[in-house]
Amino acid sequence: MLIETRKAAECLRTALRDYNLKFGTILNDPDLAPFRASPEFKELQEEALRGGEDVGSGFRRDLKLISEVQAPFRGVRRFFYVALTAAAGISTFFTIPRLILAVKGGDGAPDLLETAGNAAINIGGIVVLVALYFWENKREEKQITQISRNETLSRLPVRLSTNRIIELVQLRDITRPVILAGSKESVTRAMQRAERKTKPNQGVLVREELLHQFLQLGWIRDQQESEGVTPGEDVYIILCLDGRVRRSGIGMPNWNDILQELPRLEDLMSKLER
């Protein structure tokens, strides 16, 4: 099985690089579901997320487009960071010679304190603006990683109470899945409480099935690390109607708090989630 998944990964890597295969095809193809449960898929996804000669940049470009839709003013903010940094740099370029003259003193020399203050303001502005620019880039990378993680999550299988197996993406717009991961005792107790507390009109679906798929892919571990949670602890993850992670936490969920927080499916706030 390991050799087969490695061969599949190499074939898909070649298709991505040489034949413009969309990574979304790998995510959506039902025949590739077993491959998506392998470590080789995670490795291939990370390569596609970074982009490059080996797998092409199509997947990363698509993720950046989604990121821009979710944060439409990020590009505007970065433009102003660059423009203001350039302006501060030009001002500093002309201020430094004046500062040198002020230090030397003499007739016609500019005021030292005023010139030094102007130079400090310009240099401080450059430092702050550059820091903001890199912070914005870091936020974008984090968002792209989260979007990629959500897309992976959407393609993972779950077993319904009718014993039918579907992908999570098929539950979008109609349910808010709650994923429980932890010890068998903790999950069992949480499931029993959920059966007594959850209401159909809030679209809550709690599942513990096929969690090995999540663990094999490292999805839960990655989510725990992104939230600063120690891997291995009991955790719960609540999804929005559109499949994004709405909330996650340590331990098992407090169903009373969650049900008070979630709007009914027909409410306006639920429509905005879709």
Side-chain angles (χ1 to χ4, degrees), residues 166-236:
I166 64 172
E167 291 185 337
L168 273 177
V169 69
Q170 295 175 258
L171 299 176
R172 283 184 177 176
D173 296 336
I174 57 174
T175 61
R176 297 182 175 96
V178 179
I179 301 166
L180 307 177
S183 65
K184 184 176 181 180
E185 295 77 12
S186 299
V187 172
T188 300
R189 286 197 300 270
M191 293 285 290
Q192 291 171 347
R193 295 192 190 102
E195 291 176 358
R196 297 193 299 267
K197 298 286 186 179
T198 52
K199 303 174 183 178
N201 64 352
Q202 289 181 299
V204 177
L205 175 67
V206 185
R207 301 309 301 163
E208 60 174 340
E209 304 289 351
L210 301 182
L211 278 181
H212 65 280
Q213 298 275 7
F214 292 88
L215 296 174
Q216 286 178 358
L217 284 167
W219 191 93
I220 285 184
R221 185 190 64 247
D222 292 343
Q223 183 67 21
Q224 288 173 326
E225 290 176 353
S226 70
E227 298 292 338
V229 177
T230 303
E233 292 190 63
D234 292 351
V235 294
Y236 68 90

Side-chain angles (χ1 to χ4, degrees), residues 33 42 59 77 93 96 101 112 114 173 176 212 219 231 238 248 251 259:
K42 179 174 175 58
F59 183 52
R77 290 195 297 269
F93 178 78
I96 293 300
L101 290 175
L112 177 59
E114 181 182 353
D173 296 336
R176 297 182 175 96
H212 65 280
W219 191 93
I238 305 174
S248 60
L259 293 175

Side-chain angles (χ1 to χ4, degrees), residues 23 32 71 100 109 126-127 149 164-166 189 204 217 234 247 261:
F23 197 85
L32 291 176
I100 295 173
I126 291 173
V127 171
R149 194 180 300 138
R164 178 187 171 200
I165 296 177
I166 64 172
R189 286 197 300 270
V204 177
L217 284 167
D234 292 351
R247 173 177 161 186
E261 171 191 326

